Amino acid sequence: MDDQEFKKVIDEIGAVISAHQRFVLMSHVRPDGDAIGSVIALGFSLMAMGKTVFIINEDGVPESLEFLKGSEKVTTPPKDPLEVEVAIALDTATKPRLGDGSLHAASKAKIWLNIDHHISNPAYGDINLIDARKPATGQIIYELIKALGYPIPDETRDAVYVAVSTDTGSFQYGSTTAATYELGADLIRRGLNVGKINADTYDNHPYRRLELMRALLNTLQISDDGQLACWELLDQTRLDLNLQPDDSEGLIDMIRSVKGVRVAAFFEELHDGKIRVSMRSKDSGINVCNVATEFGGGGHALAAGIRMAGPLSEAKPKVLSALKQALASQ
Ligand code: AMP
Ligand code: MN
Ligand code: MN
């Protein structure tokens, strides 16, 4: 999507928002900072305009993001469908990744807006604002709010910052642009407390996360050529350490950051027997989204994920072999 198309679709979305009153905002299962930040950011802007807004997430707000102002407005989906006219999916690469409960709760909506930055998004909305050039859905929401002249209450300001900061590795990844830093500067001018919000986001982990890191380090493996590193989290470790789903968020960066490593993979046994795979590439020539897509997953060229059938002993060799192939063909 180029800038012209981006502006055109924003105007279409603006027209839908103007013409309706009742909205449900949703994002992907096992939400990260961009998923929760984006729904709070747009949700509070719409509420400040007098709209009726429901904000739901299949798994609710993870403990690590409860500090965000407005996060109490994000609930798990109600049993019965909500009386809404418009459903807005944010940061969600495929419709099923919203979760069955959220899809049921939104089932009365007659218009679907799909706002995302995943290159693998198949455009499942009636209107699709999918811009893979943007480092975070939070940045797309910020640009939309600015372009349409919508209000930026404090909840929106802080949520945009956390969405963008977490999806850019604290404004570090190559996807970060001048516009991203300008967004940060604008939010600071609007009163954002940088030191506090970064401390809340990055320096406030439960002790068990460190115990998890120790357990992961015990499973660390690296290929003979040093290019592919991985580790794994067993369901038993989750039980032993009483882990929450978001405890592992970002830990893959530790193996990604090793000198010589070009691809990092994190395998996790889920309680339903499925395997969650997180993958990171440090090399623009190796597209982990393509590997994820082979197994029904998706994401971005340099950061992608899969949920696939277990057991780990079968899933892991399949994915590692696909990753080795991607490395070899490079
Ligand atoms: P993660 O490794 O979970 O941080 O995910 C990396 C990126 O891939 C994120 O942008 C996710 O939204 C996306 N992603 C993760 N798992 C999946 C999946 N099963 N299907 C599609 N996209 C995914
Ligand atoms: Mn996300
Ligand atoms: Mn995102």
Coordinates of all heavy atoms in Angstrom, one line a residue, residues 275-307:
I275 N 1.8 -26.6 19.4 CA 3.2 -26.0 19.6 C 3.1 -24.6 19.0 O 2.7 -24.4 17.9 CB 4.2 -26.8 18.8 CG1 4.2 -28.3 19.3 CG2 5.6 -26.2 19.0 CD1 4.5 -28.5 20.7
R276 N 3.6 -23.7 19.8 CA 3.7 -22.3 19.3 C 5.2 -22.1 19.0 O 6.1 -22.4 19.7 CB 3.3 -21.3 20.4 CG 3.6 -19.9 20.2 CD 3.1 -19.1 21.4 NE 3.4 -17.7 21.2 CZ 4.4 -17.1 21.7 NH1 5.3 -17.7 22.5 NH2 4.7 -15.8 21.4
V277 N 5.4 -21.5 17.8 CA 6.8 -21.3 17.3 C 6.9 -19.8 17.1 O 6.1 -19.2 16.4 CB 7.1 -22.0 16.0 CG1 8.6 -21.9 15.7 CG2 6.7 -23.5 16.1
S278 N 8.0 -19.2 17.7 CA 8.3 -17.8 17.4 C 9.6 -17.8 16.6 O 10.6 -18.6 17.0 CB 8.7 -17.1 18.7 OG 7.5 -16.4 19.2
M279 N 9.7 -17.0 15.6 CA 11.0 -17.0 14.8 C 11.4 -15.6 14.5 O 10.6 -14.7 14.4 CB 10.7 -17.7 13.4 CG 10.4 -19.2 13.6 SD 10.1 -20.0 12.1 CE 8.5 -19.2 11.7
R280 N 12.7 -15.4 14.5 CA 13.3 -14.1 14.2 C 14.4 -14.2 13.2 O 15.2 -15.2 13.4 CB 13.8 -13.4 15.5 CG 12.8 -13.2 16.6 CD 11.9 -12.0 16.3 NE 10.9 -11.8 17.4 CZ 9.8 -12.4 17.5 NH1 9.3 -13.3 16.7 NH2 9.0 -12.0 18.5
S281 N 14.5 -13.3 12.3 CA 15.6 -13.3 11.3 C 16.4 -12.0 11.5 O 15.8 -11.0 11.8 CB 15.1 -13.4 9.9 OG 16.1 -13.1 9.0
K282 N 17.7 -12.1 11.4 CA 18.5 -10.9 11.5 C 19.0 -10.4 10.1 O 19.7 -9.5 10.0 CB 19.8 -11.1 12.3 CG 19.6 -10.9 13.8 CD 20.7 -11.7 14.5 CE 21.9 -10.8 14.8 NZ 22.8 -11.5 15.6
D283 N 18.5 -11.1 9.1 CA 19.0 -11.0 7.8 C 17.9 -10.8 6.8 O 17.0 -11.7 6.7 CB 19.8 -12.3 7.5 CG 20.5 -12.3 6.3 OD1 20.1 -11.7 5.3 OD2 21.6 -13.0 6.2
S284 N 17.9 -9.7 6.1 CA 16.8 -9.4 5.2 C 16.6 -10.4 4.1 O 15.6 -10.5 3.5 CB 16.9 -8.0 4.6 OG 18.1 -7.9 3.9
G285 N 17.7 -11.2 3.9 CA 17.6 -12.3 2.9 C 16.9 -13.5 3.3 O 16.5 -14.4 2.5
I286 N 16.6 -13.6 4.6 CA 15.9 -14.8 5.1 C 14.6 -14.4 5.7 O 14.5 -13.7 6.7 CB 16.8 -15.5 6.2 CG1 18.1 -15.9 5.6 CG2 16.1 -16.7 6.8 CD1 19.2 -16.2 6.6
N287 N 13.6 -14.8 5.0 CA 12.2 -14.3 5.3 C 11.5 -15.4 6.2 O 11.1 -16.4 5.7 CB 11.5 -14.1 4.0 CG 10.1 -13.6 4.2 OD1 9.4 -13.9 5.2 ND2 9.6 -12.7 3.3
V288 N 11.4 -15.2 7.5 CA 10.8 -16.2 8.4 C 9.3 -16.2 8.2 O 8.7 -17.2 8.6 CB 11.2 -16.1 9.8 CG1 12.6 -16.6 10.1 CG2 11.1 -14.7 10.4
C289 N 8.7 -15.2 7.6 CA 7.3 -15.2 7.4 C 6.9 -16.3 6.4 O 5.9 -17.0 6.5 CB 6.8 -13.8 6.9 SG 5.0 -13.8 6.7
N290 N 7.8 -16.4 5.3 CA 7.6 -17.5 4.3 C 7.6 -18.9 5.0 O 6.8 -19.7 4.6 CB 8.6 -17.4 3.2 CG 8.4 -16.2 2.3 OD1 7.4 -15.6 2.4 ND2 9.4 -15.9 1.6
V291 N 8.6 -19.1 5.9 CA 8.7 -20.3 6.6 C 7.4 -20.5 7.4 O 6.8 -21.6 7.4 CB 9.9 -20.4 7.5 CG1 10.0 -21.7 8.3 CG2 11.2 -20.3 6.6
A292 N 7.0 -19.5 8.2 CA 5.8 -19.6 9.0 C 4.5 -20.0 8.1 O 3.7 -20.8 8.5 CB 5.5 -18.3 9.7
T293 N 4.4 -19.3 7.0 CA 3.3 -19.6 6.1 C 3.2 -21.0 5.6 O 2.1 -21.6 5.5 CB 3.4 -18.6 4.9 OG1 3.7 -17.3 5.4 CG2 2.1 -18.6 4.1
E294 N 4.4 -21.6 5.4 CA 4.4 -23.1 5.1 C 3.7 -23.9 6.1 O 3.2 -25.0 5.8 CB 5.9 -23.6 5.1 CG 6.7 -23.5 3.9 CD 8.1 -24.1 4.1 OE1 8.2 -25.3 4.5 OE2 9.0 -23.4 3.8
F295 N 3.7 -23.5 7.4 CA 3.1 -24.3 8.4 C 1.8 -23.6 8.9 O 1.3 -23.9 10.0 CB 4.0 -24.4 9.6 CG 5.3 -25.2 9.2 CD1 6.5 -24.5 8.9 CD2 5.3 -26.5 9.3 CE1 7.6 -25.2 8.5 CE2 6.5 -27.2 8.9 CZ 7.6 -26.5 8.6
G296 N 1.2 -22.7 8.1 CA -0.1 -22.1 8.5 C 0.0 -20.9 9.4 O -1.0 -20.4 9.9
G297 N 1.2 -20.4 9.7 CA 1.4 -19.3 10.5 C 1.6 -18.0 9.6 O 1.1 -18.0 8.5
G298 N 2.2 -17.0 10.2 CA 2.4 -15.7 9.5 C 3.2 -14.7 10.2 O 3.8 -15.1 11.2
G299 N 3.1 -13.5 9.8 CA 3.8 -12.4 10.5 C 4.5 -11.5 9.6 O 3.9 -11.1 8.6
H300 N 5.8 -11.2 9.9 CA 6.6 -10.2 9.2 C 7.8 -11.0 8.6 O 8.2 -12.0 9.1 CB 7.0 -9.1 10.0 CG 6.0 -8.5 10.9 ND1 5.0 -7.6 10.4 CD2 5.7 -8.6 12.2 CE1 4.2 -7.3 11.4 NE2 4.6 -7.9 12.5
A301 N 8.5 -10.4 7.7 CA 9.7 -11.0 7.1 C 10.7 -11.4 8.2 O 11.4 -12.4 8.2 CB 10.4 -10.1 6.1
L302 N 10.9 -10.5 9.2 CA 11.9 -10.7 10.2 C 11.4 -11.2 11.6 O 12.2 -11.5 12.5 CB 12.8 -9.4 10.4 CG 13.4 -8.8 9.2 CD1 14.3 -7.6 9.6 CD2 14.3 -9.8 8.5
A303 N 10.1 -11.3 11.7 CA 9.5 -11.8 13.0 C 8.2 -12.5 12.6 O 7.3 -11.8 12.2 CB 9.3 -10.7 13.9
A304 N 8.1 -13.8 12.9 CA 6.9 -14.5 12.5 C 6.6 -15.6 13.5 O 7.4 -15.9 14.3 CB 7.0 -15.1 11.1
G305 N 5.4 -16.1 13.4 CA 5.0 -17.2 14.3 C 4.1 -18.2 13.7 O 3.5 -18.0 12.6
I306 N 4.0 -19.3 14.4 CA 3.2 -20.5 14.0 C 2.5 -21.1 15.2 O 3.1 -21.1 16.3 CB 4.1 -21.6 13.4 CG1 5.1 -21.1 12.4 CG2 3.2 -22.7 12.7 CD1 6.1 -22.1 12.0
R307 N 1.3 -21.6 15.0 CA 0.7 -22.5 16.0 C 0.4 -23.8 15.2 O -0.4 -23.7 14.3 CB -0.7 -21.9 16.5 CG -0.6 -21.4 17.9 CD -1.9 -20.8 18.3 NE -1.6 -19.7 19.2 CZ -2.1 -19.7 20.4 NH1 -2.9 -20.6 20.9 NH2 -1.8 -18.7 21.2

